[in-house]
Amino acid sequence: MDQKMFCYQCEQTAGCAGCTGSTGVCGKTAETARLQDQLVGAMIGLARAAEGVECPGDRVYRTVIEGLFTTLTNVSFDDDAIRAQIEKTHREKERLLAAPVKKSAGPREKAAGESGAAASVQDTDDYNLGLLWDMDPDIRSLKSLILFGLKGMAAYAYHALMLGASDETVNQFFLTGLREIAKDGTVESLLPTVLKVGEVNLTCMAMLDAANTGTYGTPIPVSVPLVVERGPFIVVTGHDLKDLELLLKQTEGKGVNIYTHGEMLPAHAYPELRKYPQLKGNFGTAWQNQQKEFADIPAPILFTTNCLMPPKKSYADRVFTTEVVAYPGMVHIDDEKDFTPVIEKALELGGYQEDRQFTGINGGTRVMTGFGHGTILSMADQVIDAVKSGAIRHFFLVAGCDGAKPGRNYYTDFVKQTPEDSIVLTLACGKFRFNDLDLGNIGGLPRIMDMGQCNDAYGAIKVAMALAEAFGCEVNELPLSFVLSWYEQKAVCILLTLLHLGIRNIRLGPSLPAFLSPNILNFLVENYGIGPVTTPEEDLKALLG
């Protein structure tokens, strides 16, 4: 393409069409975007080499999962780190091609014979992702849904992998989906794969849910303070619970307190993490406010997953990254997970000299979390009775990613205007728009229930399915409405999971994805009733009938 770069994978892409200049809205350069596309192309080459191989192996799977995660929005801005991942992908492909073929099932063996050493270069070449961006709009739209859905699912698979959980069906589908992007396809042939992403992502989210609760216990409701106590502290942001656990272990007895930020807030609800007394509270709000909230902070910030923005000078010297997160010039904690540099920086900076009270967006000084599916389903009889008695008339799942684009105040206004006989379920960082509001209770149940991270969307699905079973109806017949916000690719794979399950009449905003062509958008409207958010007043009127 003639443009310096082309990227339209996030909600804030320039002009709701695509970033095509020298720098994307997220801050990545044209060179970074080019390398990320090259990495995707290399992974497609690896997936091609794995076709016909009965069991490509954990190394191949991890390479693909890491690579896809690396290309997620706001994960890696480090060109050298991306180049290293490309080289790693190429090495895995060469190793795979040199290994004996165990199963005659595809073009690789036909070209290579039993040794695999003479595999056709044509079959295993890296794919030029620029071909995708120049395709027919409808084909490009469907393949983008597949690619971006795979990227989002890779984040969930990665977190599960860090806790020792893996699933062969999920792993194999990463390879299948990548190969599909490079194949010739029609709208009719690609649509099943798009929905398959949603189906496999449901399995992936269930795996992550089991890994999280199996490792750290079932989340329990907890009120989290927004005050930072005096003395040295570390802010941990992102999503990775394993990194937080390791940091908590390494800070025991060091006089350093730990505060969560953004999507790490739900960590306070896990019993095995709550047992650490230095896990004190939550600092700040959602990811897009970090450049303001971290300005001159007297503490280091550890980024464990996506949601990294280019650091400002006022705090760049105290940013640390780990896993696949990377930014040029920042200290990176490698796989040995020695957080000594982070702890030493905390002790050097010293923290605040006095306790510092912060507030949420609406002025609240505490926020609740921990209403995972385990907690809500344990109260199922109470919830069902409240519905039958008329105390609860409607449920709203107001969930998803937050962002800086104008129009996201819609979600705050929507929640404020929900009727007093309704429950608001929420998850992911979009909740920071309203999670410090006090909307009261219904029969002892808080009207706002935070179900956790975006990673915990599986819990919302479990609750919806359980309610449908209890009332002997379909999910679409429940007094339940989905009002979602999206920003990056994890939201894409969750949306595809909802579509796979046949969930209808989803409201999506603050704007619809730029990668949805008019024809594909029309298909979603006609078949699933998906539509853009309008105004809180109009949408509430429509959803409440």
Side-chain angles (χ1 to χ4, degrees), residues 377-442:
L377 293 181
S378 72
M379 303 183 297
D381 291 342
Q382 185 179 353
V383 173
I384 292 168
D385 288 344
V387 174
K388 289 181 177 179
S389 70
I392 297 176
R393 176 164 59 115
H394 207 86
F395 296 89
F396 296 96
L397 179 65
V398 186
C401 314
D402 206 354
K405 198 173 186 178
R408 287 184 179 266
N409 60 315
Y410 163 94
Y411 297 93
T412 309
D413 295 339
F414 183 95
V415 170
K416 285 181 177 179
Q417 294 180 42
T418 54
E420 293 182 359
D421 56 358
S422 65
I423 294 287
V424 176
L425 304 174
T426 189
L427 50 82
C429 61
K431 62 174 167 274
F432 284 101
R433 294 276 171 173
F434 51 81
N435 69 335
D436 64 324
L437 290 171
D438 183 3
L439 297 187
N441 297 272
I442 299 177

Side-chain angles (χ1 to χ4, degrees), residues 231-234 254-256 297-300 317-318 320 340-352:
F233 68 98
I234 298 169
K254 300 287 179 64
V256 176
I297 183 176
D317 66 327
R318 54 210 69 180
F320 295 81
T340 299
V342 189
I343 298 168
E344 290 178 344
K345 177 62 74 171
L347 293 170
E348 173 194 331
L349 293 170
Y352 296 112

Side-chain angles (χ1 to χ4, degrees), residues 238-311:
H239 304 75
D240 201 281
L241 299 179
K242 183 65 176 179
D243 284 328
L244 175 60
E245 179 193 22
L246 293 172
L247 182 64
L248 287 168
K249 287 180 176 179
Q250 292 181 38
T251 51
E252 285 188 286
K254 300 287 179 64
V256 176
N257 289 330
I258 306 298
Y259 293 85
T260 56
H261 172 267
E263 289 261 49
M264 290 300 290
L265 167 64
H268 291 274
Y270 287 94
E272 289 301 307
L273 297 177
R274 282 185 56 77
K275 70 182 184 182
Y276 293 92
Q278 71 269 35
L279 180 60
K280 292 291 186 177
N282 192 71
F283 176 91
T285 53
W287 68 272
Q288 79 278 359
N289 300 317
Q290 66 189 257
Q291 292 178 330
K292 176 182 178 181
E293 293 175 345
F294 292 162
D296 299 311
I297 183 176
I301 309 106
L302 175 64
F303 284 84
T304 65
T305 59
N306 58 310
C307 301
L308 169 66
M309 295 177 72

